[in-house]
């Protein structure tokens, strides 16, 4: 190996060469240029233009030849978002429709009582639901689809921009839609090239029976209301043009003779991430605040608004780039939906489409997880007020899966929403746990009668509320994500912030573990600590002890807690107590009956062989106690492999993503890749697979599918895991590179546990060059093709390895 150190530098510039290489040849599904008005725009806040060069921008675009249907927005609408507000756009020439959601617009409340069977109520009337904020329509008579030529709509992943273009009678019309985080508004800009004009109306409507009022002098329309739970909310819209007339008529805004038109909409709630304040900020008037924001934005040109947005969005997107190879000319000529169908129908790899799917997941992270609540089952993208499972935060894989991508793919800041949510909820979770967990009707109560710390239910809402059953292991799994973020960042201040959450989970498990005696095949007996009565989510008996799911999570929780106390210099005596408990934990064995890793403390399989959850494989992924190397007994690895094989290769999207991640950990590249391909299968009539707009569809009943976002984020995480595996002190390059991507490729900005990022390129399945950069880490072992090399760096320093 040729290893060269470079002086400490900013992380982003140190990856510039790799990023440029990957961006120039990487994720692409279409060719296309910059928006007409964006290309020549002058910045307002940025000191230099944030716009991408046309060739690079074109390689991060998805495109379609038809607009979305108002009757199928979840499958066909294109998403924009600023981390709090999300919207789906139809891009219909004659009637642009936006369904707008605020991540904090939740009904329900603390929901802190138990029903007779020990469950928390779990419905819209009690637990509550995420709901839509508003719909926005821009009606443009005369622009009917039948009169339109050369229609094309585009999702620019790198710049956070949806656009549509078409011709009518020789005049080219264009619209751009984006959700600006700096200005906290959604902007729609309509332009044309020629002598065309726009005439029509802008209408804003609430989704809960609100009345919209308009102010002619202020040129805005708005509404405000409150839920029964006391949450106040509101929204406002304005429109302006320098070339025509814009006026308020009744409750809508009309525009006539406009050669260009800008529409600005915003809205929100008075939700506050503060349990002591009842999760409300009483000083906020959401309707008035929305009016203030749209009118402030309207003082700027559409060009300046876009530049401010792109200057915020693009740096996040550019922290990572990927090239999985070159697709064929024929593939590139197809629009995104045609390509997805052709990939499945012809079974021919389309590496640029597969890379674009990863980048689409990153786009959703940037758009859905900045400065507000975390991403739930659908993120901030709804088309009605009745999302399945209330659009909640499921704690037995779904919310965790949504955040596996963040640190792996250069989006460290998007993890803050997850961490802040857990910290804000802790006071209520703790109080409710200590008051209700040991209720006699709770099937999972602690048989010892002891209680400490906090736990959660299978479903949680933003008010500390719980739904469905208690989920004793959920706290340990939430904490696994929290601690892994520290492993990626080495941020001690962050670790101190989440330390009370982690310690509270440890205290819960200290009170919950019970002693049992296990007799081995030779007749020898030994006492172990096991989890009390529990369920191996989500199948099998509901009263078994020592389930593999719980044992692995608690083992990992205790180990991470030990590290946290050492880093922070806290509770060292208590840490020693927990270390002794960890040493006494029962860990799973292989069933002599099935040859599988046991899911329960039984040689028999007590559930569904092909169940969607991989609960007993939690130690393989996301944990890494089980490794396909000499550190793990071969029979354990074989048992895990046999169990994973039995689960099958076809399931719901999120379940396929988890399977793919597990196969990547086992270094089976082709199985991991096939599961990614399976998730790209086009959804038809609500079947499992990918919708026209690339949202993952979850089949609930034959003929009925719903959008569930975790697969859109978990599948990209699997792609990264196939290219780079890491744990503190260890990073392996190309552990599971499939034949479809082996010819050549590159990836830049991959997060590495232990405090590093890595960039690499490969050819013919072998690494040709790699760069490791410290973001706080100091030493690690780099593994390439079975060869190991210990590397030592200073924070901010890079090491380049060539000649591999």
């Amino acid at each position: 190996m040729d290893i060269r150190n470079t002086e400490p530098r900013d992380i982003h510039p140190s990856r510039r060469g790799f990023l440029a290489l990957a961006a120039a040849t990487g994720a692409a599904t279409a060719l296309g240029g910059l928006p007409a008005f964006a290309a020549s725009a002058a910045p307002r806040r940025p000191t230099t233009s944030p716009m991408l060069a046309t060739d690079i921008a074109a390689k991060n675009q998805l495109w379609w030849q038809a607009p979305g249907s108002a009757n199928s927005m979840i499958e066909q609408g294109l998403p924009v978002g600023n981390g709090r507000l999300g919207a789906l756009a139809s891009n219909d020439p004659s009637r642009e429709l936006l369904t707008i959601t605020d991540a904090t617009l939740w009904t329900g409340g603390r929901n802190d009582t138990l029903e007779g069977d020990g469950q928390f109520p779990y419905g819209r009337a009690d637990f509550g639901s995420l709901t839509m904020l508003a719909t926005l329509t821009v009606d443009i008579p005369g622009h009917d689809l039948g009169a339109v030529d050369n229609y094309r709509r585009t999702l620019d992943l790198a710049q956070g921009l949806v656009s549509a273009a078409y011709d009518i009678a020789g005049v080219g019309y264009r619209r751009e839609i984006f959700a600006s985080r700096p200005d906290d508004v959604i902007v729609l800009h309509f332009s044309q090239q020629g002598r065309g004009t726009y005439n029509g109306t802008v209408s804003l409507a609430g989704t809960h029976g609100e009345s919209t009022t308009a102010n002619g002098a202020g040129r805005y329309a708005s509404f405000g209301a409150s839920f029964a739970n006391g949450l106040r909310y509101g929204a406002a819209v304005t429109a302006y043009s320098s070339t025509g007339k814009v006026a308020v008529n009744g409750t809508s805004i009309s525009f006539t003779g406009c050669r260009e038109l800008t529409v600005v909409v915003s809205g929100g709630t008075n939700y506050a991430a503060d349990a002591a304040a009842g999760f409300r900020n009483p000083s906020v008037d959401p309707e008035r605040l929305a009016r203030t924001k749209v009118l402030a934005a309207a003082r700027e040109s559409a060009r300046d608004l876009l530049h401010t947005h792109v200057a915020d969005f693009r740096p996040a997107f550019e922290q990572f780039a990927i090239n999985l190879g070159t697709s064929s000319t024929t593939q590139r000529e197809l629009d995104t939906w045609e390509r997805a169908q052709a990939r499945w129908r012809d079974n021919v790899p389309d590496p640029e489409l597969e890379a674009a799917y990863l980048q689409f997941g990153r786009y959703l992270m940037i758009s859905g997880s900045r400065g507000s609540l975390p991403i739930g089952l659908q993120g901030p993208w709804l088309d009605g007020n009745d999302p399945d499972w209330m659009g909640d935060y499921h704690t037995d894989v779904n919310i965790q899966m949504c955040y596996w991508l963040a640190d792996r793919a250069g989006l460290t800041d998007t993890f803050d929403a997850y961490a802040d949510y857990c910290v804000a909820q802790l006071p209520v979770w703790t109080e409710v746990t200590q008051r209700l967990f040991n209720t006699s009707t709770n099937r999972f109560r602690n048989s010892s009668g002891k209680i400490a710390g906090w736990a959660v239910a299978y479903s949680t809402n933003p008010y500390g509320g719980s739904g469905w059953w208690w989920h004793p292991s959920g706290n340990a799994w939430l904490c696994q994500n929290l601690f892994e973020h520290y492993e990626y960042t080495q941020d001690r201040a962050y670790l101190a912030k989440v330390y009370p959450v982690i310690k509270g989970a440890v205290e819960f498990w200290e009170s919950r573990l019970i002693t049992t005696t296990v007799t081995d095949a030779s007749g020898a007996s030994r006492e172990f600590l096991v989890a009390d009565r529990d369920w191996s989510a989500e199948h099998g008996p509901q009263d078994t002890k020592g389930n593999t799911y719980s044992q692995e999570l608690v083992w990992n929780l205790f180990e991470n807690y030990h590290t946290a106390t050492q880093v922070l210099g806290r509770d060292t005596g208590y840490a020693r107590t927990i270390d002794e408990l960890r040493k006494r934990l029962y860990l799973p064995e292989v069933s002599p009956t099935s040859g599988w890793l046991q899911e329960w403390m039984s040689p028999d399989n007590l559930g569904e062989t092909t169940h969607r959850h991989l609960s007993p494989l939690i130690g393989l992924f996301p944990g890494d106690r089980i490794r396909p190397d000499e550190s793990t007994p071969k029979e354990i690895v074989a048992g895990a492999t046999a169990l994973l094989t039995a689960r099958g290769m076809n399931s719901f999207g999120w379940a396929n993503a988890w399977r793919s991640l597990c196969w990547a950990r086992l270094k089976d590249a082709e199985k991991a890749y096939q599961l990614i391909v399976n998730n790209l299968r086009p959804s038809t009539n609500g079947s499992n697979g990918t919708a026209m707009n690339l949202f993952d569809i979850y089949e609930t009943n034959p003929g009925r599918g719903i959008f569930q976002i975790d697969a859109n984020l978990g599948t990209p995480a699997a792609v990264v895991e196939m290219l780079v595996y890491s744990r503190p002190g260890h990073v392996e390059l190309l552990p599971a590179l499939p034949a479809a991507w082996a010819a050549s490729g590159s990836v830049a900005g991959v997060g590495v546990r232990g405090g590093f990022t890595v960039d690499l390129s490969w050819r013919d399945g072998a690494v040709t060059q790699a760069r490791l950069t410290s973001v706080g880490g100091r030493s690690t072992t780099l593994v390439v093709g079975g060869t190991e090399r210990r590397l030592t760096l200073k924070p901010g320093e890079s090491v380049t390895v060539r000649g591999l």
Side-chain angles (χ1 to χ4, degrees):
M1 296 183 185
D2 173 20
I3 301 178
R4 301 181 183 180
N5 284 58
T6 56
E7 293 301 313
R9 63 186 78 181
D10 292 337
I11 300 304
H12 180 65
S14 76
R15 295 204 306 271
R16 188 168 293 146
F18 276 93
L19 288 164
L21 170 65
T25 60
T29 59
L31 296 178
L34 287 167
F37 88 93
S40 60
R44 169 164 55 103
R45 294 169 190 158
T47 56
T48 58
S49 173
M51 291 301 160
L52 288 168
T54 301
D55 58 338
I56 297 177
K59 295 181 183 301
N60 289 290
Q61 291 181 350
L62 310 176
W63 68 283
W64 294 261
Q65 299 182 77
S69 168
N71 298 321
S72 188
M73 291 293 283
I74 281 294
E75 293 86 3
Q76 299 180 26
L78 297 186
V80 296
N82 67 1
R84 178 182 68 83
L85 288 172
L88 295 171
S90 71
N91 306 132
D92 186 304
S94 66
R95 195 167 201 262
E96 181 65 74
L97 170 65
L98 265 64
T99 61
I100 303 171
T101 303
D102 181 318
T104 66
L105 190 63
W106 267 82
T107 62
R110 282 181 55 144
N111 203 45
D112 56 350
T113 60
L114 294 180
E115 296 178 330
D117 60 356
Q119 296 188 50
F120 291 99
Y122 188 42
R124 301 184 198 285
D126 31 55
F127 175 79
S129 177
L130 177 64
T131 67
M132 279 176 52
L133 173 64
T135 61
L136 178 77
T137 55
V138 182
D139 287 295
I140 309 173
H143 286 223
D144 299 315
L145 195 57
V148 164
D149 295 317
N150 303 318
Y151 180 91
R152 177 185 176 122
R153 63 173 173 155
T154 303
L155 174 55
D156 188 324
L157 301 172
Q159 301 187 110
L161 182 67
V162 167
S163 63
Y166 55 88
D167 298 334
I168 297 178
V171 177
Y173 293 88
R174 188 177 184 89
R175 66 188 63 171
E176 292 85 20
I177 304 171
F178 57 93
S180 170
R181 184 168 178 250
D183 288 301
D184 202 19
V185 295
I186 299 172
V187 180
L188 301 84
H189 181 70
F190 299 81
S191 61
Q192 52 79 46
Q193 295 177 332
R195 297 181 177 273
T197 58
Y198 290 95
N199 305 285
T201 57
V202 179
S203 302
L204 177 70
T207 66
H208 298 275
E210 303 86 355
S211 296
T212 300
T213 59
N215 183 302
R219 287 188 178 178
Y220 65 78
S222 66
F223 67 81
S226 61
F227 287 145
N229 65 6
L231 185 74
R232 299 175 66 188
Y233 62 93
V237 64
T238 190
Y240 58 97
S241 175
S242 61
T243 58
K245 181 180 180 181
V246 179
V248 172
N249 294 316
T251 60
S252 64
I253 301 172
S254 66
F255 52 91
T256 55
C258 297
R259 298 183 64 186
E260 48 74 34
L261 175 75
T262 303
V263 179
V264 184
V265 61
S266 188
T269 77
N270 70 337
Y271 178 85
D274 183 355
F279 297 100
R280 305 285 186 276
N281 184 343
S283 67
V284 171
D285 179 340
E287 181 180 9
R288 177 180 294 179
L289 184 58
R291 290 199 303 262
T292 299
K293 289 177 178 178
V294 300
L295 293 176
R299 289 194 288 268
E300 308 290 342
S301 71
R303 294 176 178 179
D304 288 352
L305 290 172
L306 179 64
H307 270 280
T308 300
H309 160 66
V310 174
D312 169 70
F313 191 96
R314 204 186 98 192
F317 185 86
E318 285 191 326
Q319 289 302 307
F320 177 97
I322 188 165
N323 165 26
L324 297 177
T326 303
S327 298
S328 70
T329 300
T330 300
Q331 289 168 328
R332 288 176 166 180
E333 290 174 346
L334 301 174
D335 75 11
T336 296
W337 183 230
E338 290 175 328
R339 283 182 85 161
Q341 294 177 87
R343 174 64 187 87
W344 182 255
R345 180 189 65 241
D346 302 336
N347 196 26
V348 175
D350 188 341
E352 292 177 1
L353 174 65
E354 292 150 12
Y357 188 79
L358 183 155
Q359 293 286 30
F360 178 66
R362 295 184 70 248
Y363 171 88
L364 295 177
M365 286 294 297
I366 299 169
S367 302
S369 184
R370 292 197 294 168
S372 186
L373 288 170
I375 291 174
L377 290 177
Q378 290 192 208
W381 293 288
L382 304 181
D383 65 349
N385 290 333
D386 57 349
D388 287 74
W389 302 288
M390 280 61 83
D392 70 19
Y393 306 112
H394 260 44
T395 63
D396 61 338
V397 70
N398 307 96
I399 188 171
Q400 292 92 339
M401 180 178 289
C402 285
Y403 285 90
W404 291 340
L405 180 63
D407 288 303
R408 285 178 170 81
L411 296 176
T412 292
D413 290 346
T414 66
F415 190 85
D416 290 346
Y418 178 100
D420 291 345
Y421 173 74
C422 293
V423 171
Q425 302 298 303
L426 180 62
V428 183
W429 286 346
T430 301
E431 188 277 328
V432 173
T433 298
Q434 296 187 18
R435 177 163 51 88
L436 294 180
F437 189 83
N438 277 348
T439 300
S440 60
T441 55
N442 174 21
R443 70 193 72 200
F444 305 130
R445 65 189 178 277
N446 293 343
S447 58
S448 67
K450 299 176 183 178
I451 191 67
W454 64 276
V456 290
Y458 279 93
S459 296
T460 65
N461 70 19
Y463 306 123
S466 304
W468 197 21
W469 292 346
W470 280 104
H471 179 206
S473 303
N475 56 6
W477 200 346
L478 291 172
C479 288
Q480 184 170 33
N481 280 53
L482 291 174
F483 187 79
E484 281 196 350
H485 182 63
Y486 165 75
E487 291 182 319
Y488 282 104
T489 65
Q490 301 294 292
D491 184 340
R492 292 181 76 256
Y494 160 80
L495 185 61
K497 180 177 76 172
V498 301
Y499 179 80
V501 183
I502 297 173
K503 183 179 179 182
V506 169
E507 291 170 333
F508 174 84
W509 279 99
E510 181 189 20
S511 73
R512 178 167 173 76
L513 293 172
I514 58 177
T515 302
T516 191
T517 301
V518 176
T519 303
D520 62 23
S522 67
S525 296
R526 180 182 170 191
E527 286 191 341
F528 290 93
L529 291 177
V530 298
D532 213 335
R533 292 165 298 196
D534 205 350
W535 193 32
S536 187
E538 296 179 6
H539 72 137
Q542 299 160 15
D543 59 354
T544 53
K545 300 175 182 178
N547 293 342
T548 295
Y549 174 63
S550 299
Q551 298 299 125
E552 292 282 13
L553 283 169
V554 175
W555 187 92
N556 189 74
L557 173 69
F558 285 0
E559 182 180 52
N560 290 341
Y561 178 69
H562 173 85
T563 302
T565 60
Q566 289 187 317
V567 171
L568 298 175
R570 297 186 188 179
D571 297 320
T572 54
Y574 184 55
R576 287 192 293 270
T577 298
I578 299 305
D579 282 343
E580 291 304 312
L581 296 181
R582 183 172 64 87
K583 294 174 184 177
R584 296 170 57 197
L585 285 171
Y586 175 82
L587 292 174
E589 300 178 350
V590 175
S591 166
T593 303
S594 65
W596 305 345
L597 190 71
Q598 291 180 354
E599 185 161 1
W600 298 268
M601 288 185 69
S602 167
D604 300 321
N605 179 42
L606 306 178
E608 304 167 36
T609 301
T610 58
H611 194 264
R612 58 193 178 274
H613 280 260
L614 298 181
S615 301
L617 292 177
I618 202 87
L620 176 64
F621 188 94
D624 54 13
R625 190 187 68 82
I626 299 175
R627 306 169 189 162
D629 58 33
E630 65 278 359
S631 67
T632 304
K634 292 182 179 179
E635 61 270 19
I636 296 294
V637 176
T641 304
L643 176 59
L644 183 58
T645 301
R647 282 294 203 263
M649 296 285 288
N650 284 286
S651 190
F652 302 105
W654 64 263
N656 283 344
W658 196 357
R659 285 157 169 73
S660 181
L661 284 153
C662 285
W663 283 117
R665 283 282 169 92
L666 291 172
K667 303 184 181 182
D668 192 321
E670 299 312 317
K671 283 189 174 68
Y673 175 69
Q674 184 58 51
L675 285 154
I676 290 167
V677 173
N678 289 352
N679 274 0
L680 282 170
R681 172 177 49 199
S683 172
T684 56
N685 298 320
S687 65
N688 293 326
T690 294
M692 177 185 290
N693 62 359
L694 298 192
F695 275 175
D696 184 77
I697 300 300
Y698 180 115
E699 185 176 14
T700 57
N701 292 300
R704 180 179 181 272
I706 63 171
F707 167 45
Q708 194 168 308
I709 200 171
D710 36 21
N712 283 111
L713 307 176
T715 308
V719 173
V720 179
E721 191 76 15
M722 293 163 69
L723 304 177
V724 177
Y725 162 70
S726 71
R727 61 180 184 269
H730 180 100
V731 54
E732 183 174 358
L733 307 184
L734 303 184
L737 183 69
W741 305 336
S744 65
S746 61
V747 64
V750 179
V752 171
R753 290 164 63 195
F756 302 92
T757 62
V758 68
D759 317 323
L760 67 137
S761 58
W762 66 87
R763 183 172 297 279
D764 297 326
V767 176
T768 56
Q769 180 172 314
R771 178 184 295 136
L772 193 74
T773 301
S774 169
V775 297
R778 295 185 177 273
S779 65
T780 193
T781 297
L782 180 68
V783 181
V784 183
T787 301
E788 296 185 2
R789 182 66 178 261
R790 191 70 180 172
L791 302 177
T792 301
L793 298 86
K794 299 175 182 178
E797 190 176 38
S798 295
V799 173
T800 298
V801 182
R802 299 186 178 93
L804 303 173

